[in-house]
């Protein structure tokens, strides 16, 4: 991250003022500029501030505004909060931080404006207090909706400030006390019964009593205290003239022991969800554990983890839309994809009970881009969906001319099975309609080994993912061999896979055999024709692993918790932006036959070719002399080093021959590495799909005659333990260790060997 300038404003000598729109502004105070970056820690930052402003860093409080929100101050109390502030303001040239020494905080409390409205409503916008010391301001707050929370609460006749909630760290009063006047008495009016019930809910929490409905309909609501014999009552009904809801009767006297009532008795997940909704919007990673702690601290209500988790789901649904409604909107959503992006494939299947089964999506821009500009090479992989209904995403990606990820198609299914792979591949084949022989780099387990030849028959090559193979080999050998022995075997296994010449391949196999005949048998039985460079008949351009589309998997990880239609539209938006970015990027390239990366690779081979000597040809065969002697068949575009065939770009030996016969090396480069192919890949754009925003998630769509009604799939139990994430970095066992040439031991060399020579 680049250096960011922080404007630190000391509150000593200044004060916050409230604008007409409810936003906060700071007047006065000293300012000091500090440059920070992602590595700056909070303690160093506070030390510099303390030195400049002249007071102890231990007694200062730091606060900042959320970007675009001048109504909510967030407290920085630990390094995690400090780094979060840096992340939130990443796009801003600078950020203001307010520095509050203890005496300044006390002065702010005493200097608050003293005004009070005679009328109290229950329609306040609830904004959670972020932490002790925060100043929290709602969007539509009305005077007297909140109170100053100090060491002691003000008397009933004391003036209350408008729009502010201040908390004192030493003597913290629960935020629930702000609701003590949510119900004021007879003649108080509300816009709806929902608003009245919400106010009653908050009032009961603030006063610590339980209640039950005697009557609860669209005309009148009558409520009594749940305690036996307690006279507290309230009745509200609709006014005939204005349609407002008015409190007609209220007995405010309680004879019950309210103190023994648990504060959390009415803490429904829906209520907690509405409380945390705004904070969840600002902090999407808000954890259930933190939710429970905040609710306990601010409202005195004890939640267990399960209750906090369910409340978070309710809040997320309020923000993002209903998961259930999203499934019911799949038919219209798929139709809109096809209408707005002609030529795209968007189909789904349901089970006999109309519950969701699987969904396939491939945009025309992806289909056309693969046909026109991409190599006939596809990577098949999966991504787990840790959403409410879980499931798996099957993904097909291709490399563009720069070896960047180009998503071609994806599907949402319930599990990775042979049946689901066959269904996905059948629709992929129909969508692509590509006459070329395609090489698939994919796992050989979970049904793929059977599904690929079943769907594509002889019009394909299946290159086994080398990483999956190595992981299975290591697992199968774990009980028989030590870690060191397995390391040797795996190193030789990788050497066999990458070997371009048959003799090097067989030499690596003999090394494995010398360590373990059983491991040698395992390797032979793993079908080397599908993974060894020296034996593989397809063209995979030296791509050995199916874990290729890491960018796409990061998109999935960001969107997988959304309702299904929103998740798909989020991926569509990412694809649309990616295609546009690549279009703009390619326009800025200097005019060249090859893309920048491939141009650089070719120039390196041209430089190496200058030191090589080419002998007289025999037909189309040329002998090239350098450190080794290599044969180049110029007509077959092949060299016995196999680099040309494996990469698609001429090796240095081939370049020497091409220049010897007076031709250009560019004529012998694969067309898939040209700038033209790159632009053809990204020639088509993806269009937005209307009505996929939050409004679509919340509003009910009328049922369409003849269209199937899709219901959510059955929920599955989450497996125990931490969810498995896709591994990206090479396994440690694949990293070579030092081997001593004297004693053959690992971890040291001959110079540091302690064995007696």
């Amino acid at each position: 991250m680049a250096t960011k300038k922080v404007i630190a404003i000391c509150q000593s000598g200044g004060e916050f003022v409230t604008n007409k729109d409810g936003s906060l502004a700071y007047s006065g105070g000293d300012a000091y500029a500090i440059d920070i970056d992602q590595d700056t820690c909070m303690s160093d930052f506070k030390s510099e501030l303390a030195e400049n402003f002249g007071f102890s860093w231990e007694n200062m409080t730091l606060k900042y505004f959320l970007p675009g929100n001048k109504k909510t101050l967030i407290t920085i109390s630990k390094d995690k909060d400090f780094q979060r502030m840096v992340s939130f303001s990443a796009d801003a040239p600078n950020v203001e931080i307010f520095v509050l020494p203890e005496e300044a905080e006390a002065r702010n409390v005493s200097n608050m404006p003293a005004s009070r409205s005679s009328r109290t409503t229950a329609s306040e916008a609830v904004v959670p207090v972020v932490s002790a010391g925060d100043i929290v301001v709602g969007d539509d707050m009305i005077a007297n909706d909140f109170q100053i929370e100090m060491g002691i609460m003000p008397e009933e006749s004391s003036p209350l400030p408008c729009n502010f909630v201040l908390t004192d760290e030493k003597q913290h009063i629960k935020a629930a006390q702000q609701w003590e006047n949510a119900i004021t008495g007879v003649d108080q009016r509300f816009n709806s019964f929902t608003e009245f019930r919400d106010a009653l809910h908050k009032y009961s929490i603030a006063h610590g009593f339980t209640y039950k409905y005697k009557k609860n309909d669209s005309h009148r609501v009558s409520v009594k205290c749940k305690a036996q014999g307690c006279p507290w009552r309230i009745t509200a009904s609709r006014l005939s003239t204005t349609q407002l809801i008015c409190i007609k009767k209220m007995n405010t006297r309680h004879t019950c022991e309210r103190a023994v009532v648990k504060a959390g008795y009415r803490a429904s997940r829906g209520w907690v969800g509405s409380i945390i909704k705004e904070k969840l919007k600002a902090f999407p990673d808000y954890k259930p554990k933190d939710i429970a702690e905040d609710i306990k601290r601010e409202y005195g209500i004890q939640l267990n983890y399960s209750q906090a988790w369910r409340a978070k789901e309710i809040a997320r649904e309020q923000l993002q839309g209903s998961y259930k409604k999203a499934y019911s909107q799949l038919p219209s959503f798929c139709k809109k994809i096809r209408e707005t992006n002609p030529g795209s494939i968007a189909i789904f299947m349901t089970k006999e009970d109309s519950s969701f089964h699987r969904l396939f999506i491939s945009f025309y821009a992806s289909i056309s881009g693969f046909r026109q500009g991409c190599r006939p090479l596809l990577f098949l992989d999966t991504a787990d969906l840790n959403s409410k209904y879980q499931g798996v995403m099957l993904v097909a990606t291709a490399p563009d001319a720069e070896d960047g990820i180009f998503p071609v198609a994806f599907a949402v299914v319930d599990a990775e099975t042979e049946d689901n792979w066959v269904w996905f591949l059948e629709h992929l084949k129909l969508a692509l309609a590509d006459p070329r022989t395609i090489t698939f780099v994919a796992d050989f387990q979970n049904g793929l080994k059977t599904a690929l030849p079943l769907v594509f028959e002889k019009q394909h090559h299946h290159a086994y993912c080398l990483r999956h193979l190595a992981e299975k080999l290591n697992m199968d050998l774990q009980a028989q061999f030590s870690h060191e022995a397995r390391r040797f075997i795996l190193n030789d296994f990788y050497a066999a896979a990458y070997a371009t010449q048959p003799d090097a391949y067989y030499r690596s196999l003999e090394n494995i055999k010398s360590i373990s005949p059983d491991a040698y048998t395992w390797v032979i039985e793993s079908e080397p024709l599908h993974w060894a460079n020296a034996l593989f008949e397809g063209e995979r351009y030296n791509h050995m692993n199916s874990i290729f589309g890491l960018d796409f998997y990061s998109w999935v990880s960001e969107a997988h918790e959304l309702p299904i239609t929103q998740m798909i539209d989020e991926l569509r938006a990412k694809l649309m932006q990616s295609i546009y970015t690549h279009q703009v990027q390619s326009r800025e390239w200097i005019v060249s036959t090859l893309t920048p990366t491939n141009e650089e690779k070719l120039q390196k081979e041209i430089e190496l070719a200058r030191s090589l000597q080419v002998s007289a040809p025999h037909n189309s065969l040329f002998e090239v002399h350098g450190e080794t002697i290599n044969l180049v068949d110029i007509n077959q575009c092949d060299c016995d080093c196999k680099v040309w065939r494996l990469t698609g770009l001429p090796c240095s030996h081939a370049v020497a021959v091409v220049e010897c016969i007076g031709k250009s090396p560019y004529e012998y480069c694969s067309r898939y590495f040209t700038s033209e192919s790159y632009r053809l890949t990204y020639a088509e754009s993806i269009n937005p799909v209307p009505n996929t925003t939050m409004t679509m998630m919340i509003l009910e769509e009328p049922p369409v005659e003849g269209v199937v009604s899709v219901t959510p799939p059955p929920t599955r139990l989450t497996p125990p333990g931490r969810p498995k994430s896709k591994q990206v970095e090479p396994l440690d066992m694949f990293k070579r260790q030092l081997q001593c040439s004297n004693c053959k031991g690992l971890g040291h060399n001959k110079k540091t060997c302690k064995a007696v020579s």
Side-chain angles (χ1 to χ4, degrees):
M1 168 190 155
T3 301
K4 179 180 293 296
K5 189 173 292 297
V6 172
I7 310 300
I9 302 174
C10 182
Q11 192 171 345
S12 180
E15 62 179 356
F16 281 104
V17 296
T18 310
N19 297 323
K20 292 181 178 180
D21 62 354
S23 63
L24 293 176
Y26 193 74
S27 175
D30 300 325
Y32 177 62
I34 304 178
D35 290 331
I36 65 169
D37 56 29
Q38 196 71 43
D39 297 326
T40 304
C41 66
M42 182 175 169
S43 58
D44 293 341
F45 181 75
K46 293 181 75 172
S47 296
E48 185 169 349
L49 291 179
E51 183 178 347
N52 180 77
F53 290 131
F55 50 81
S56 172
W57 68 272
E58 296 178 348
N59 297 325
M60 71 171 67
T61 301
L62 305 180
K63 300 175 183 292
Y64 69 99
F65 283 115
L66 286 173
N69 182 349
K70 291 293 185 181
K71 299 182 181 181
T72 304
L73 275 169
I74 303 297
T75 297
I76 304 174
S77 58
K78 51 190 176 182
D79 274 325
K80 185 177 180 181
D81 297 335
F82 187 78
Q83 294 303 325
R84 184 177 288 161
M85 178 273 296
V86 175
S87 299
F88 278 158
S89 58
D91 296 331
N94 54 57
V95 59
E96 291 182 346
I97 287 184
F98 300 95
V99 185
L100 286 70
E102 282 189 350
E103 60 269 20
E105 289 191 278
R107 182 172 60 254
N108 263 341
V109 172
S110 62
N111 290 343
M112 293 306 297
S115 63
R116 180 174 182 176
S117 168
S118 60
R119 177 175 176 270
T120 302
T121 72
S123 59
E124 68 270 24
V126 179
V127 179
V129 178
V130 178
S131 66
D134 286 352
I135 302 173
V136 181
V137 183
D139 292 336
D140 301 300
M141 295 181 187
I142 298 177
N144 198 27
D145 283 347
F146 291 96
Q147 299 178 354
I148 299 181
E149 295 184 353
M150 299 174 58
I152 56 173
M153 294 300 295
E155 297 294 333
E156 180 63 22
S157 59
S158 301
L160 294 179
C162 174
N163 293 351
F164 287 96
V165 176
L166 294 184
T167 62
D168 185 87
E169 291 182 349
K170 295 182 178 178
Q171 292 178 301
H172 183 78
I173 305 299
K174 295 180 178 62
Q177 289 180 320
Q178 67 191 9
W179 297 331
E180 286 186 343
N181 292 322
I183 299 291
T184 58
V186 175
D187 290 334
Q188 184 181 359
R189 300 184 181 188
F190 305 88
N191 292 321
S192 65
F193 277 118
T194 300
E195 186 178 299
F196 168 71
R197 294 184 188 99
D198 182 59
L200 178 61
H201 191 175
K202 294 171 182 176
Y203 179 85
S204 70
I205 290 175
H207 290 271
F209 70 94
T210 62
Y211 62 86
K212 63 180 179 180
Y213 289 98
K214 294 177 62 181
K215 189 173 183 61
N216 186 15
D217 56 33
S218 59
H219 300 288
R220 188 175 64 169
V221 173
S222 181
V223 179
K224 62 174 289 188
C225 180
K226 202 170 184 180
Q228 185 72 29
C230 182
W232 187 92
R233 300 283 192 281
I234 189 170
T235 300
S237 60
R238 190 182 302 278
L239 295 174
S240 59
T241 54
T242 64
Q243 296 299 306
L244 293 175
I245 309 304
C246 180
I247 296 178
K248 295 297 184 67
K249 298 178 183 178
M250 184 175 181
N251 185 343
T252 60
R253 190 168 68 92
H254 276 282
T255 59
C256 58
E257 295 293 332
R258 289 176 288 166
V260 302
V261 178
K262 289 185 178 180
Y265 78 100
R266 294 287 289 176
S268 67
R269 59 189 180 185
W271 176 80
V272 177
S274 66
I275 290 294
I276 68 171
K277 182 169 65 174
E278 291 302 319
K279 189 167 183 180
L280 182 64
K281 185 177 182 180
F283 304 99
D285 294 331
Y286 199 14
K287 293 179 172 54
K289 179 182 177 183
D290 296 332
I291 292 172
E293 290 176 354
D294 289 349
I295 294 296
K296 172 67 176 177
R297 182 177 66 251
E298 306 298 341
Y299 301 98
I301 297 173
Q302 185 71 48
L303 301 179
N304 58 35
Y305 184 91
S306 177
Q307 290 171 322
W309 183 86
R310 289 187 175 91
K312 180 181 177 181
E313 291 299 300
I314 292 290
R316 179 181 288 145
E317 187 167 298
Q318 291 174 0
L319 291 170
Q320 299 169 349
S322 166
Y323 288 90
K324 184 176 180 180
K325 290 177 182 176
Y327 282 103
S328 69
Q329 291 160 349
L330 265 181
S332 60
F333 179 67
C334 289
K335 182 180 179 182
K336 286 169 184 173
I337 289 179
R338 295 191 295 268
E339 289 174 349
T340 55
N341 292 268
S344 299
I345 309 296
I347 57 174
F348 67 93
M349 278 187 64
T350 60
K351 297 180 179 178
E352 292 182 358
D353 59 357
S354 294
S355 64
F356 173 80
H357 190 194
R358 43 200 179 193
L359 168 72
F360 178 91
I361 301 288
S362 183
F363 291 95
Y364 175 73
S366 298
I367 297 170
S368 175
F370 179 77
R371 287 177 186 161
Q372 301 297 322
C374 289
R375 288 160 270 180
L377 176 66
L378 284 173
F379 299 87
L380 303 179
D381 209 348
T382 63
D384 290 330
L385 303 176
N386 298 316
S387 61
K388 181 175 182 179
Y389 295 100
Q390 301 182 48
V392 175
M393 182 170 285
L394 309 181
V395 183
T397 57
D400 62 24
E402 283 277 271
D403 268 346
I405 172 180
F406 184 71
V408 176
F410 54 91
V412 177
V413 298
D414 54 357
E416 186 185 7
T417 63
E418 180 181 330
D419 180 53
N420 282 330
W421 271 120
V422 169
W423 184 83
F424 175 74
L425 292 172
E426 285 175 344
H427 288 88
L428 179 64
K429 183 179 181 180
L430 289 172
L432 297 179
D434 197 320
R436 298 175 295 177
T437 298
I438 299 175
T439 296
F440 293 92
V441 182
D443 194 4
F444 57 96
Q445 303 175 99
N446 300 321
L448 265 173
K449 183 178 178 180
T450 306
L452 272 169
L454 188 64
V455 176
F456 283 87
E457 299 174 345
K458 295 181 179 180
Q459 195 185 347
H460 85 289
H461 294 289
H462 184 182
Y464 292 168
C465 172
L466 193 59
R467 183 183 182 85
H468 286 128
L469 271 170
E471 288 175 345
K472 190 172 190 312
L473 173 60
N474 176 65
M475 187 179 299
D476 291 348
L477 298 179
Q478 195 164 4
Q480 297 177 313
F481 299 96
S482 67
H483 182 81
E484 293 181 357
R486 295 201 313 275
R487 185 185 298 276
F488 277 119
I489 293 171
L490 286 166
N491 282 337
D492 285 319
F493 174 72
Y494 264 66
Y498 280 97
T500 58
Q501 299 286 350
D503 57 342
Y505 162 76
Y506 288 113
R507 191 161 53 246
S508 297
L509 288 191
E510 288 301 319
N511 290 340
I512 295 175
K513 190 174 184 180
S514 66
I515 300 173
S516 167
D518 289 342
Y520 172 81
T521 302
W522 189 100
V523 172
I524 293 299
E525 292 177 351
S526 66
E527 302 175 281
L529 286 172
H530 289 278
W531 53 263
N533 271 340
L535 306 178
F536 186 65
E537 296 180 356
E539 295 179 344
R540 57 179 169 183
Y541 298 88
N542 219 27
H543 285 285
M544 308 295 281
N545 300 309
S546 62
I547 305 173
F548 172 76
L550 296 181
D551 288 343
F552 186 80
Y553 301 130
S554 70
W555 298 348
V556 175
S557 67
E558 293 171 5
H560 69 90
E561 291 187 346
L562 295 171
I564 187 167
T565 48
Q566 275 192 276
M567 177 184 70
I568 299 303
D569 196 58
E570 183 71 16
L571 295 178
R572 178 208 57 76
K574 294 281 190 182
L575 279 168
M576 180 176 70
Q577 180 61 43
S578 176
I579 288 175
Y580 174 75
T581 301
H582 285 89
Q583 289 173 346
V584 173
Q585 181 186 45
S586 64
R587 295 190 198 113
E588 298 173 352
W589 289 347
I590 298 173
V591 178
S592 174
T593 302
L594 301 179
T595 63
T597 300
N598 291 302
E599 178 68 30
E600 184 179 341
K601 291 178 181 178
L602 183 62
Q603 290 303 320
K604 288 180 180 179
E605 298 300 330
I606 291 174
E607 185 66 27
L608 291 172
R610 290 174 182 170
S611 62
L612 303 178
Q613 300 295 322
V614 180
S615 64
H618 178 67
N619 295 327
S620 63
L621 288 176
F622 290 80
E623 198 172 84
V624 181
H625 297 262
E627 293 182 359
T628 59
I629 300 176
N630 296 89
L631 290 177
V632 176
D633 189 335
I634 197 66
N635 289 344
Q636 296 298 320
C637 295
D638 194 17
C639 174
D640 60 4
C641 73
K642 299 302 178 185
V643 172
W644 194 357
R645 181 177 67 85
L646 288 174
T647 64
L649 292 174
C651 59
S652 58
H653 316 114
V655 170
V657 172
V658 169
E659 292 184 337
C660 179
I661 62 177
K663 292 189 176 182
S664 170
Y666 293 99
E667 298 178 34
Y668 292 88
C669 295
S670 170
R671 74 172 183 87
Y672 298 117
F673 296 132
T674 63
S675 299
E676 181 186 3
S677 288
Y678 186 90
R679 294 188 178 102
L680 286 172
T681 300
Y682 296 102
E684 299 291 338
S685 300
I686 294 179
N687 300 319
V689 179
N691 299 325
T692 54
T693 59
M694 189 189 305
T695 303
M696 178 182 176
M697 296 296 98
I698 296 174
L699 297 177
E700 287 280 6
E701 290 188 352
V704 180
E705 187 176 352
V707 176
V708 64
S709 177
V710 185
T711 60
T715 54
R716 294 187 294 146
L717 294 176
T718 304
R722 185 185 297 274
K724 294 181 180 180
S725 59
K726 191 176 293 296
Q727 297 177 352
V728 177
E729 296 297 325
L731 296 177
D732 179 65
M733 68 189 69
F734 299 152
K735 298 177 181 177
R736 293 182 182 272
Q737 282 189 337
L738 287 174
Q739 182 183 12
C740 177
S741 59
N742 181 37
C743 69
K744 306 302 180 184
L746 294 174
H748 64 277
N749 55 22
K750 183 178 180 179
K751 184 177 180 180
T752 57
C753 182
K754 297 180 180 180
V756 179
S757 301

